[in-house]
């Protein structure tokens, strides 16, 4: 039997069927046949134009790819700088339709929980920003009694593109950086899943009236682009706005991200601490890269110093997240320096990059490259 497929009264394909043998058919429909508004008419006829009767064949399933969807059905578009905070609380918002495309409970307070490991997020971006874009996911989970709890981000097809380690049963909020060039296809479509290991929920280990299977709690998602230091730097949390000489920290713990493409490189931050805030003694600056163990360096207040953050364990190019802590902000006004009432901690003046292995083997002096001046730190 030959069946012809019509879309909006145009014949687009002929399908050959054999008795009692199920047939799966993929049909590419020209976009010129798609209307700009609902409905989309799909018809199946016997060859020759006679409409097939119910006893002739049946269709068990029909699905549409993203390219075939009408504008009212496509995944929502996210733009750089957009920050979404799902939940039912007054300061939260409902996510756009079709963004949570399967595996989620209803919004609950300050977030929304996935159903075990089935949480899926779908949206689209401008393909031109994929190279420089990063998706920031604010996530939490219920900890288990094991020490290797984590959340893994999988792309469409199952490839792991990001992971957050949450040892010790912690349920604190965690921010994960997902590179768009690892998550998006050539059309700018992003389809990811959030997978917790060691799944746990209240009724799993004890008597509890809530039997929902919680996986990952989505607290927020934001789209950002690398736009500082020649497209290598992304300022994240805890910073004041840009100033001509750099950016001051506004909190005792701040984060930024950098990326390398060609060879593994180590960042050298050019920074200074507010004069007078710690007298003439050095202050300990703690830093951690990609949530690994924290290290410590000494910083002298009032001096613009070049501080090496070694990355000897990383041999591949990629995105690295850096956290700085240990310097409590204080206002220049309280120190009698000027009339600025803002709490200021450490000022990041610029960032240089050098080959990591050369820096570790030979010392970093003379090996710096591609220095980002202060006005590029944003």
């Amino acid at each position: 039997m030959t069946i012809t497929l019509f879309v909006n009264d145009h014949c687009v394909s002929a399908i050959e069927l054999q008795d009692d043998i199920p047939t799966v058919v993929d049909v590419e429909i020209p976009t010129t046949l798609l209307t700009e508004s609902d409905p989309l008419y799909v018809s199946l006829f016997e060859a020759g134009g006679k409409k097939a009767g119910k006893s002739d064949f049946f269709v068990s399933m029909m699905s549409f790819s993203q390219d075939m969807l009408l504008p009212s059905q496509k995944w929502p578009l996210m733009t750089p700088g957009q920050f979404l905070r799902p939940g039912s609380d007054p300061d939260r918002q409902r996510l756009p339709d079709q963004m949570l495309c399967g595996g989620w409970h209803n919004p609950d307070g300050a977030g929304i929980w996935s159903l075990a490991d089935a949480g899926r997020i779908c949206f689209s971006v401008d393909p031109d920003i994929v190279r420089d874009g990063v998706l920031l996911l604010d996530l939490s989970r219920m900890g288990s009694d094991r020490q290797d709890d984590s959340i893994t981000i999988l792309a469409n097809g199952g490839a792991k593109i990001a992971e957050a380690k949450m040892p010790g049963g912690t349920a604190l909020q965690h921010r994960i950086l997902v590179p768009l060039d690892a998550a998006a296809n050539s059309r700018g479509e992003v389809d990811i899943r959030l997978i917790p290991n060691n799944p746990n929920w209240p009724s799993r280990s004890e008597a509890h009236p809530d039997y929902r299977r919680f996986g990952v709690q989505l607290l927020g998602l934001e789209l950002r682009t690398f736009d500082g230091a020649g497209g290598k730097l992304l300022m994240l949390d805890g910073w004041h706005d840009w100033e001509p000489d750099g950016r001051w920290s506004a909190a005792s713990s701040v984060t930024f991200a950098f990326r390398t493409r060609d060879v593994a490189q180590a960042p050298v931050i050019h920074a200074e601490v507010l004069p007078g805030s710690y007298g003439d003694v050095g202050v300990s600056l703690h830093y951690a890269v990609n949530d690994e163990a924290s290290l410590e360096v000494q910083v002298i207040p009032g001096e613009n110093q070049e501080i090496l953050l070694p990355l000897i364990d990383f041999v591949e190019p990629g995105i690295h997240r850096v956290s700085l802590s240990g310097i409590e902000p204080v206002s220049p006004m309280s120190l009698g320096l000027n009339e600025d009432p803002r709490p200021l901690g450490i000022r990041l003046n610029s960032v240089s990059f050098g080959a990591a292995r050369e820096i570790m083997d030979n010392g970093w002096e003379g090996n710096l490259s591609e220095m980002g001046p202060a006005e590029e730190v944003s």
Side-chain angles (χ1 to χ4, degrees), residues 81-103:
Q82 187 174 5
F83 184 29
L84 302 175
R85 302 172 70 241
S88 59
D89 286 349
D91 61 338
R92 295 274 169 165
Q93 62 195 127
R94 177 182 174 181
L95 294 183
D97 292 339
Q98 319 244 356
M99 176 170 279
L100 300 182
C101 44

Side-chain angles (χ1 to χ4, degrees), residues 25-97:
V25 180
D26 291 327
V27 178
E28 182 175 347
I29 299 177
T31 56
T32 55
L33 300 184
L34 301 180
T35 60
E36 291 299 324
S37 61
D38 294 331
L40 173 66
Y41 293 103
V42 177
S43 305
L44 296 169
F45 294 89
E46 275 188 313
K50 179 183 176 182
K51 189 172 182 179
K54 291 183 179 180
S55 61
D56 295 323
F57 71 96
F58 68 92
V59 178
S60 60
M61 183 182 69
M62 183 178 295
S63 62
F64 296 92
S65 70
Q66 174 74 0
D67 282 344
M68 283 187 58
L69 294 178
L70 298 178
S72 62
Q73 299 172 299
K74 286 186 177 180
W75 292 341
L77 177 69
M78 284 197 72
T79 57
Q82 187 174 5
F83 184 29
L84 302 175
R85 302 172 70 241
S88 59
D89 286 349
D91 61 338
R92 295 274 169 165
Q93 62 195 127
R94 177 182 174 181
L95 294 183
D97 292 339

Side-chain angles (χ1 to χ4, degrees), residues 75-274:
W75 292 341
L77 177 69
M78 284 197 72
T79 57
Q82 187 174 5
F83 184 29
L84 302 175
R85 302 172 70 241
S88 59
D89 286 349
D91 61 338
R92 295 274 169 165
Q93 62 195 127
R94 177 182 174 181
L95 294 183
D97 292 339
Q98 319 244 356
M99 176 170 279
L100 300 182
C101 44
W104 297 91
H105 294 287
N106 292 326
D108 184 13
I112 183 170
W113 283 94
S114 68
L115 175 61
D117 61 353
R120 185 172 163 220
I121 301 175
C122 301
F123 62 92
S124 61
V125 299
D126 184 343
D128 292 338
I129 72 161
V130 167
R131 180 179 180 274
D132 296 320
V134 172
L135 177 66
L136 303 176
L137 294 173
D138 293 327
L139 305 175
S140 182
R141 59 161 291 169
M142 289 190 175
S144 71
D145 56 358
R146 301 182 58 174
Q147 297 299 311
D148 62 343
D149 286 352
S150 66
I151 298 174
T152 301
I153 311 299
L154 300 183
N156 186 20
K160 183 172 76 171
I161 55 177
E163 183 180 32
K165 299 177 181 179
M166 308 178 74
T170 179
L172 297 177
Q173 176 176 331
H174 199 99
R175 173 160 281 192
I176 301 180
L177 278 71
V178 180
L180 282 185
D181 57 4
N185 60 23
S186 60
R187 297 184 296 272
E189 299 162 352
V190 177
D191 183 352
I192 58 176
R193 288 180 60 199
L194 282 52
I195 310 294
N197 70 340
N198 308 329
N200 193 24
W201 49 87
S203 63
R204 184 183 178 93
S205 56
E206 60 184 49
H208 197 282
D210 191 344
Y211 286 90
R212 290 178 296 172
R213 295 190 173 190
F214 294 124
V216 175
Q217 187 183 30
L218 176 62
L219 302 168
L221 60 164
E222 182 179 7
L223 191 63
R224 300 279 297 276
T225 56
F226 279 87
D227 55 7
K232 294 194 172 193
L233 193 64
L234 174 62
M235 309 302 284
L236 295 173
D237 304 309
W239 300 93
H240 287 293
D241 292 336
W242 170 86
E243 298 177 49
D245 294 328
R247 293 188 75 164
W248 283 102
S249 63
S252 59
S253 178
V254 295
T255 57
F256 68 92
F258 74 94
R259 67 176 177 180
T260 57
R261 291 191 176 277
D262 300 326
V263 295
Q265 293 181 316
V268 178
I269 64 172
H270 301 253
E272 61 184 278
V273 178
L274 192 66

